[in-house]
Amino acid sequence: MTSLLITNIGELVTWDSERPVLRDAALVVEHGKVTWFGDRTKAPDADAVRDVGGAAVIPGFVDSHTHLVFAGDRSAEFEARMSGRPYEAGGIRTTVAATRAATDEQLAANVARHLAQMRALGTTTVEIKSGYGLTVHDEARSLAVARQATEETTFLGAHVVPADIDVAGYVDLVTGPMLEACAPYARWIDVFCEDGAFGADESRTVLAAGAAAGLQPRVHANQLGPGPGVQVAAEAGAAAADHCTHLDDADVAALADTGVVAGLLPGVEFSTRSPYPDARRLIDAGVTVALATDCNPGSSYTSSMPFCIALAVREMGMTPLEALWSATKGGAFSLRRDDVGHLAVGAKADLVVLDAPSHVHLAYRPGVPLAAPLTS
Ligand code: NIG
Ligand code: FE
């Protein structure tokens, strides 16, 4: 079989510049790519036909920010937060200890389990960070595990400073032997630029060393409070500044002016019971917004992009269509990819069928498994 016609699509979201959303549509896939889409009644012949019975079809979700290489459990921290305890980034060290103690096989099995959950919920592209190893050996093997699962791998040795070393010594390690060991497995470099993690100058040093080793920058920015993260991301020409929960007007202007994508991660605010980022303010200022899960055992243990869409619509001022864009095309911008996150002609045929007539149901029916990849 070389061509497949998917027809009787009640609503087709392509993000094509002329016809981003179509009703009563059809689409043709050949050799894993979209070769035609349009009005159902004008569809060309194909070798096989699939009738989706009026369902909506959307691009697969692009989850541009996850920390899937980890071991251990931090549900007790979540339970304590729900009784009023604040989120503490120091909890990262608990996961570091469990991750160091795990074998490569255990880490890979954990990644595979979470990826299977993500795929079942409609995610077709995933970025995965290291950051729970924090030694040369444990960061490199974390990235080797991640690289088996995705091309979108990020070296986050600069996640927190381990207890047994000072900041300056650790930045030297991250930008020296650790970077050398990790760069072959990574496309991106990331730094947690935040009080209690890495300051502006340290973050600049980390990103510059990564860039010199061929890694493109992205930043954990302005998550727990105001700070320099967004400005550091803008200066570095980062693809994304992720979190963006605490922004001043200059931060918003910097994102809009430089085109750095603001990655919003509402699973964090849900799981830490904190105020959500103001997506409306960013969109109205012309900032490109991506939505991602930040899937990790501490601040956001969800693998569900539909859950993030529901939160973005209910809590962050996004329309259902904006949230879907940010979870697909916005994620693709964050990863500097033009082959995923949309279904225009030439795109990868990462099709997701909704058990619903329109994308609105993703937020209208939170917690319901409506999205599933089209299987051949
Ligand atoms: O993106 N901000 C830093 N890192 C993660 C949290 C990791 C953890 O708590 O284990 C985040 O929220
Ligand atoms: Fe993160």
Side-chain angles (χ1 to χ4, degrees):
M1 180 182 86
T2 55
S3 61
L4 172 65
L5 170 67
I6 297 129
T7 190
N8 203 7
I9 302 173
E11 179 189 78
L12 174 64
V13 177
T14 66
W15 304 131
D16 177 72
S17 53
E18 281 167 25
R19 292 170 300 166
V21 183
L22 298 83
R23 314 239 170 253
D24 202 14
L27 177 145
V28 176
V29 175
E30 281 176 79
H31 304 298
K33 290 195 170 162
V34 178
T35 54
W36 182 91
F37 71 85
D39 192 296
R40 178 177 62 83
T41 60
K42 300 190 179 130
D45 289 336
D47 299 325
V49 179
R50 176 84 65 90
D51 184 326
V52 295
V57 171
I58 61 171
F61 302 121
V62 178
D63 192 345
S64 56
H65 185 138
T66 83
H67 303 249
L68 291 191
V69 188
F70 69 88
D73 177 81
R74 281 160 63 196
S75 54
E77 283 177 33
F78 174 78
E79 192 179 24
R81 286 200 297 274
M82 295 307 106
S83 307
R85 289 275 292 276
Y87 171 72
E88 281 162 7
I92 292 170
R93 294 194 185 93
T94 307
T95 303
V96 169
T99 303
R100 288 178 181 172
T103 64
D104 292 2
E105 291 69 27
Q106 287 166 332
L107 294 177
N110 220 0
V111 169
R113 188 163 56 87
H114 289 97
L115 283 178
Q117 292 168 357
M118 290 174 162
R119 186 162 172 78
L121 294 162
T123 297
T124 49
T125 304
V126 181
E127 179 268 8
I128 302 179
K129 299 176 201 306
S130 66
Y132 290 121
L134 310 188
T135 63
V136 173
H137 174 69
D138 289 301
E139 284 296 300
R141 73 189 184 100
S142 294
L143 280 162
V145 165
R147 185 39 76 82
Q148 285 169 13
T150 182
E151 288 295 301
E152 301 298 343
T153 49
T154 303
F155 171 42
L156 179 60
H159 198 184
V160 283
V161 181
D164 52 356
I165 187 168
D166 65 12
V167 187
Y170 188 62
V171 169
D172 284 348
L173 183 69
V174 167
T175 56
M178 196 183 282
L179 176 60
E180 196 182 326
C182 290
Y185 304 109
R187 177 172 183 217
W188 304 96
I189 184 152
D190 196 344
V191 57
F192 185 17
C193 183
E194 194 84 33
D195 274 354
F198 298 87
D201 286 342
E202 293 145 0
S203 299
R204 288 187 189 105
T205 302
V206 167
L207 297 178
L215 307 186
Q216 298 178 63
R218 40 201 321 112
V219 180
H220 276 71
N222 302 60
Q223 174 184 359
L224 304 175
V230 161
Q231 300 295 342
V232 167
E235 280 166 30
D242 287 350
H243 286 285
C244 287
T245 308
H246 299 271
L247 302 183
D248 62 24
D249 289 346
D251 295 328
V252 175
L255 292 167
D257 292 348
T258 57
V260 173
V261 174
L264 307 185
L265 315 169
V268 173
E269 283 72 33
F270 176 86
S271 178
T272 59
R273 213 195 273 285
S274 341
Y276 288 88
D278 188 347
R280 188 77 265 138
R281 177 187 182 202
L282 289 165
I283 292 170
D284 290 347
V287 175
T288 302
V289 170
L291 280 173
T293 61
D294 197 13
C295 186
N296 75 79
S299 65
S300 178
Y301 197 11
T302 180
S303 27
S304 172
M305 289 293 280
F307 175 62
C308 295
I309 288 173
L311 290 178
V313 170
R314 175 65 179 80
E315 305 288 346
M316 290 157 53
M318 296 177 91
T319 67
L321 200 64
E322 286 169 341
L324 178 60
W325 189 92
S326 291
T328 53
K329 188 97 175 170
F333 272 111
S334 173
L335 295 176
R336 294 184 167 154
R337 293 275 297 267
D338 58 12
D339 59 331
V340 298
H342 69 110
L343 295 176
V345 169
K348 255 181 102 181
D350 287 340
L351 272 67
V352 162
V353 182
L354 301 185
D355 183 11
S358 90
H359 70 280
V360 178
H361 285 236
L362 287 166
Y364 172 49
R365 304 191 64 206
V368 181
L370 299 177
L374 186 90
T375 48
S376 47

